[in-house]
Amino acid sequence: MSSQDGEHRWWHGAVLYQLYVRSWLDTDGDGYGDLGGVIARLDYLSWLGVDGIWLSPTMPSPDDDWGYDVSDYLGVHPDLGTMDDMDALIAQAGQRGMRVLLDLVPNHTSSAHPWFIDAAGSRDSALRDFYVWAGPGPDGGPPNNWLDATGAPAWAWHEPTGQYYLHNFLPSQPDLNWWEPRVHSEFAEILRFWLDRGVAGVRIDVAHGLYKDAQLRDNPPEAGDAPMAGRFGLQSVYNANRPQTHGVYRDWRRIADSYPAAYPGARLLLGETWVADPDRLAGFYGDDDELQLAFNFPFVFAALTAPGLSGVVAETLARLPAGACPVWTASNHDVGRFPSRWCGGDERKTRLALLVLATLPGTTVLYYGDEIGMTDVRVPPELQQDKMSRGGGNGWEGNRDRARTPMQWDSSPAGGFTAEQVTPWLPAGDTAAVNVAGQREDPGSVLRFCRDLISLRHAEFDGQIGSYQVLPAPPGAWAYQVGRLTVLANFSGRPVPCHDPGGPVLLSSTGAALPAGPDIVLAPWQAVIARSADAGG
């Protein structure tokens, strides 16, 4: 029996908050956000009501991929702060009842990591097998047809040792070889190191990756034009998504479960599971012995329509193992911001999407700025920082910098992110139109609405995944019951009548009163939360 049996799993019904540290708040005047800025705004996050903070990469890195190219797994990036800052952040968040999750990158390292420097020394280097090396293919070129995240060959020729090494991302991000037992041992110690410091868990980058096909077989052609069917004409069958990866998470889950239930409570493994198949997604939960949460990217890429979103939710819940906790998000540092992608900047749609996110069973994850309706920012080429997608090409839907711009705290040109005389690392968006200061004092703002949603979620779902039942709804609408709540959502540009839930309306996305009558008439892009008829007053 694990230490978690019968113990409150704090992420059930919780709201997690992805915080891109470099863009949160600059407290040392260098134009980059830092851990001191996270500490300075903990009271804001507590006021908002979030339960846990997922920090974007905080470990030392040359920043070719802004922290996702790690050069030291046991440190803190000097641009962001010190280990003392990290300890203070964990402690002060805990004093406010919030947990801290770190971003862990086990698929690859930086080419500046001491492991790779040793491995590249010679074919006989002690750590050579920490990485994936191969000789040329029959034509003298790369070993197979694998492509990296930019669409270029995923193999870099290493002249000094006469072999290629694999990089599913940038050439400066060599992939680790998880067939090597010593890699497992190193990451077990890395995980323990951070959990011992009071980290409540980790978000696992490229959680579907890790193992690569031992035979290095060619990837097959993509399966169509549906979202996530493939990229650059190929499916990632052999350079990721290998079944052996599940053994890693069973090992990590045993480590996580070995920690005492005292605060911060059960340790959480949250996976970036970039898979389209709901059965494959369900597989990452295992028999409640792998990840406790696995990101649902089909939901992220679904259309903002009633059948689009409700279909993914229904299929997901039907496939997950009994007792598994789904997790829902709509924005992140890679895919962009949902107020742009889904809503086109339409505040009605943004409020509707927030209401749905806050009422689905399981765990909700917000991206910094979602709560004020921040949109993607056009970053001109000369100011772009992201090497993976610079220029908006290479298959990306726009440069990833668009969703990594500074948090908009106030209406000043830099949005209160940094001192007036300092140039932020990325340009701020329309701070005059959207900012925390202006919305915090406005009871009708998106921010106050989001805070009310989180408060209601806590009151109804605290510690519970929540039951889910689809209700009858006219075309264009989605109706469902979660626990004691009924949600009615109109995903169309016309008024839609819905059956009266029989209980009081607790929250409306528009804030407007509903027309009187036996049925509820939802305005275009309006959603409401009501007490279910059988739930009492």
Side-chain angles (χ1 to χ4, degrees):
M1 178 178 294
S2 78
S3 67
Q4 295 183 14
D5 288 343
E7 180 244 323
H8 170 61
R9 300 190 179 192
W10 57 267
W11 55 88
H12 286 190
V15 175
L16 305 182
Y17 190 96
Q18 182 190 356
L19 196 154
Y20 201 81
V21 179
R22 286 185 181 274
S23 295
W24 182 248
L25 184 66
D26 172 23
T27 59
D28 60 8
D30 63 358
Y32 295 96
D34 44 56
L35 296 180
V38 180
I39 294 171
R41 290 291 188 267
L42 285 175
D43 284 343
Y44 166 75
L45 294 170
S46 179
W47 172 85
L48 184 60
V50 302
D51 301 283
I53 309 162
W54 152 29
L55 301 177
S56 61
T58 54
M59 299 170 188
S61 163
D63 294 329
D64 280 3
D65 193 13
W66 298 110
Y68 286 101
D69 51 323
V70 178
S71 57
D72 177 7
Y73 287 96
L74 304 181
V76 171
H77 197 303
D79 286 356
L80 305 182
T82 66
M83 190 65 79
D84 286 344
D85 294 328
M86 179 65 75
D87 291 341
L89 168 56
I90 294 168
Q92 292 191 35
Q95 292 167 9
R96 293 163 174 82
M98 292 183 290
R99 280 90 170 174
V100 174
L101 281 73
L102 298 189
D103 222 320
L104 181 61
V105 186
N107 179 73
H108 50 267
T109 71
S110 167
S111 56
H113 195 289
W115 296 343
F116 188 77
I117 293 172
D118 181 279
S122 77
R123 291 198 189 189
D124 297 323
S125 295
L127 304 184
R128 184 73 171 183
D129 290 341
F130 269 44
Y131 296 87
V132 182
W133 300 88
D139 63 354
N144 57 30
N145 71 346
W146 297 355
L147 301 177
D148 69 18
T150 74
W155 296 93
W157 179 248
H158 188 250
E159 181 67 32
T161 58
Q163 284 187 312
Y164 287 92
Y165 67 85
L166 177 67
H167 58 89
N168 269 307
F169 296 92
L170 295 172
S172 57
Q173 293 172 285
D175 277 49
L176 287 160
N177 173 26
W178 279 87
W179 294 99
E180 169 56 54
R182 290 176 295 170
V183 173
H184 291 249
S185 299
E186 290 286 351
F187 274 90
E189 291 308 307
I190 291 165
L191 184 60
R192 290 189 181 96
F193 174 85
W194 290 109
L195 296 182
D196 286 346
R197 298 195 83 92
V199 168
V202 292
R203 176 265 188 185
I204 304 164
D205 186 59
V206 196
H208 58 291
L210 306 196
Y211 274 88
K212 314 304 186 289
D213 179 53
Q215 301 175 51
L216 302 182
R217 287 171 282 186
D218 280 355
N219 277 329
E222 62 185 2
D225 59 0
M228 305 184 69
R231 295 187 67 192
F232 311 115
L234 298 174
Q235 298 180 63
S236 291
V237 172
Y238 295 115
N239 65 329
N241 301 305
R242 307 308 298 156
Q244 294 84 3
T245 298
H246 294 281
V248 176
Y249 301 134
R250 285 191 290 272
D251 290 342
W252 288 12
R253 181 63 178 274
R254 284 190 286 270
I255 292 173
D257 284 356
S258 71
Y259 280 77
Y263 193 90
R267 298 331 194 251
L268 175 61
L269 304 178
L270 166 61
E272 184 199 19
T273 43
W274 198 275
V275 296
D277 181 357
D279 288 320
R280 180 168 286 171
L281 178 68
F284 283 98
Y285 290 85
D287 185 20
D288 192 22
D289 62 351
E290 293 188 37
L291 307 180
Q292 297 106 324
L293 296 177
F295 272 130
N296 190 317
F297 284 97
F299 181 84
V300 173
F301 292 116
L304 188 69
T305 64
L309 293 177
S310 65
V312 174
V313 170
E315 191 171 16
T316 299
L317 296 179
R319 296 292 198 279
L320 290 187
C325 185
V327 55
W328 314 101
T329 191
S331 305
N332 70 30
H333 61 293
D334 287 330
V335 303
R337 296 186 174 278
F338 83 79
S340 291
R341 191 185 67 255
W342 271 352
C343 309
D346 187 328
E347 185 176 312
R348 298 172 304 168
K349 297 179 183 180
T350 296
R351 288 170 174 265
L352 167 73
L354 284 170
L355 187 146
V356 168
L357 280 170
T359 55
L360 288 175
T363 303
T364 297
V365 178
L366 297 175
Y367 186 48
Y368 81 100
D370 278 354
E371 74 275 18
I372 57 173
M374 272 180 66
T375 54
D376 290 344
V377 176
R378 184 188 175 278
V379 180
E382 66 272 15
L383 297 179
Q384 290 174 6
Q385 301 285 346
D386 179 36
K387 293 182 180 181
M388 195 84 70
S389 59
R390 184 171 291 159
N394 297 328
W396 294 97
E397 294 180 3
N399 188 277
R400 295 188 302 176
D401 289 332
R402 72 195 190 280
R404 302 176 177 187
T405 55
M407 181 64 173
Q408 296 169 197
W409 294 106
D410 62 33
S411 60
S412 63
F417 165 74
T418 190
E420 290 185 10
Q421 70 275 15
V422 176
T423 300
W425 80 294
L426 284 171
D430 189 348
T431 58
V434 176
N435 65 78
V436 171
Q439 292 193 24
R440 188 162 180 173
E441 302 307 317
D442 177 5
S445 68
V446 174
L447 175 58
R448 293 284 289 272
F449 173 64
C450 186
R451 182 174 184 251
D452 289 344
L453 284 170
I454 294 173
S455 178
L456 180 61
R457 181 176 180 85
H458 284 153
E460 297 294 329
F461 302 153
D462 187 33
Q464 303 295 324
I465 294 174
S467 59
Y468 174 85
Q469 179 183 354
V470 177
L471 303 174
W478 179 14
Y480 55 92
Q481 184 172 338
V482 180
R484 303 184 301 169
L485 303 180
T486 294
V487 176
L488 307 174
N490 178 11
F491 287 80
S492 75
R494 56 180 176 77
V496 170
C498 292
H499 290 299
D500 189 334
V505 172
L506 305 177
L507 204 57
S508 165
S509 65
T510 64
L514 296 167
D519 292 331
I520 287 180
V521 179
L522 297 177
W525 303 103
Q526 182 184 19
V528 298
I529 305 171
R531 181 73 71 208
S532 301
D534 58 355

